[in-house]
Amino acid sequence: MRDDPKPPFREQQQPMPGSTAAMQPRPDHGEESYRGSGRLAGKAAVITGGDSGIGRAVAIAFAREGADVLISYLDEHGDAQDTADWVEKAGRKAVLAPGDLKDPKHCRAVVTQAVEAFGRLDILVNNAAHQATFAGPEEISDEEWEVTFATNIHAMFYLTKAALLHLRAGSAIINTTSINADQPSPQLLAYATTKGAIHTYTAGLAQILADKGIRVNAVAPGPIWTPLIPATMPPEKVKSFGGNTPMGRPGQPRELAPVYVMLASDEASYVTGATVPVTGGRPFL
């Protein structure tokens, strides 16, 4: 059994969107532990928010399973290059695609860039997200509300729409929702609302695409130790982060990656419309 870090953590805060290098302890993305077995051999994937956190762990796992990976990210160039280096160390192609997914044109460009680089597209992982904490609705500006929806749910639609021009039978779309879709944190009202929308979007889209042989599923993480935490939560919340789970700690990004691999692989050929909770024991209904 691994001795993963438990709270209390050092109180820490970063400017948004956060940096992996500045976190204490450093998150574990499976850099030294993930072992692939060819489950995604010959496939090509787009991973949004692929520079750090869950996205980095998924990129590393996908590459070690045999997939080429496009890493979509906003402007965290150092983190993104680190992720690309791990993909290339696994012997796979890595493509970096910086830019703002709130722009529908950029979403379409990301998909086009992947197809041009890899000659195909088999997997779309909609993982990029924006969150911020507020005491109440009166503190949430109109712009903040719109940015959260544009990043978390609108971009997912634009990316999916563009990807469907290239996805074939056997392809997979995987969306990152959250335990907040079922147990919304009052301080994360905008974020939690979008995560509920993603849960519903996944279930509806899966039914639409089933006859095309394209599977659509979601992963619902609980508290996961990523740069988003010190970048969007007050230091006292960071200190106790993850302590509210039965396991008494936050999850590490590497603990999410095998679920994404399974959902992307042909082994999940009869799994669509599902949301898989990875919550450290917190219930998700």
Side-chain angles (χ1 to χ4, degrees), residues 228-244:
L228 201 62
I229 305 311
T232 64
M233 292 186 174
E236 63 273 15
K237 291 284 188 181
V238 176
K239 183 177 181 180
S240 61
F241 185 71
N244 63 344

Side-chain angles (χ1 to χ4, degrees), residues 3-281:
D3 187 21
D4 289 301
K6 293 186 174 183
F9 300 117
R10 182 177 68 83
E11 291 190 11
Q12 53 197 290
Q13 198 161 31
Q14 298 186 35
M16 293 176 70
S19 166
T20 302
M23 293 183 70
Q24 294 185 17
R26 287 284 293 270
D28 183 356
H29 308 92
E31 291 95 337
E32 306 300 332
S33 60
Y34 192 91
R35 300 290 181 267
S37 56
R39 297 163 75 188
L40 303 178
K43 295 183 183 292
V46 165
I47 303 173
T48 68
D51 55 297
S52 63
I54 295 169
R56 175 182 289 190
V58 173
I60 291 171
F62 276 18
R64 292 181 184 176
E65 294 291 354
D68 296 323
V69 180
L70 180 141
I71 300 156
S72 164
Y73 66 102
L74 183 59
D75 57 8
E76 306 86 357
H77 302 296
D79 274 353
Q81 186 59 59
D82 286 347
T83 303
D85 290 344
W86 283 109
V87 170
E88 291 172 348
K89 285 176 186 176
R92 307 312 306 172
K93 294 180 182 177
V95 173
L96 295 177
D100 192 346
L101 292 174
K102 296 193 301 296
D103 181 354
K105 292 180 181 178
H106 179 63
C107 292
R108 292 189 283 271
V110 164
V111 171
T112 298
Q113 188 175 355
V115 173
E116 290 178 348
F118 306 140
R120 60 188 295 160
L121 181 60
D122 305 281
I123 307 161
L124 172 62
V125 178
N126 288 309
N127 172 70
H130 170 84
Q131 76 171 35
T133 56
F134 298 96
E138 66 280 2
E139 294 186 5
I140 304 173
S141 68
D142 296 350
E143 180 184 17
E144 173 66 25
W145 186 264
E146 290 165 3
V147 164
T148 307
F149 272 78
T151 305
N152 296 4
I153 186 69
H154 297 172
M156 190 171 292
F157 173 73
Y158 302 141
L159 285 156
T160 299
K161 192 175 177 181
L164 286 174
L165 298 174
H166 307 281
L167 297 177
R168 297 162 291 185
S171 297
I173 298 170
I174 308 170
N175 304 321
T176 302
T177 178
S178 168
I179 193 168
N180 275 275
D182 182 60
Q183 299 181 34
S185 168
Q187 290 77 40
L188 294 172
L189 179 62
Y191 172 84
T193 303
T194 63
K195 291 301 178 174
I198 292 168
H199 179 55
T200 302
Y201 173 78
T202 299
L205 186 64
Q207 296 176 70
I208 294 170
L209 298 181
D211 65 350
K212 299 181 185 298
I214 299 171
R215 296 179 296 101
V216 187
N217 293 289
V219 179
I224 307 298
W225 188 240
T226 74
L228 201 62
I229 305 311
T232 64
M233 292 186 174
E236 63 273 15
K237 291 284 188 181
V238 176
K239 183 177 181 180
S240 61
F241 185 71
N244 63 344
T245 68
M247 294 185 75
R249 64 172 178 87
Q252 293 294 320
R254 66 168 173 80
E255 295 179 288
L256 278 292
V259 179
Y260 287 81
V261 169
M262 184 275 290
L263 292 174
S265 75
D266 295 338
E267 296 164 18
S269 57
Y270 198 59
V271 181
T272 194
T275 294
V276 181
V278 186
T279 64

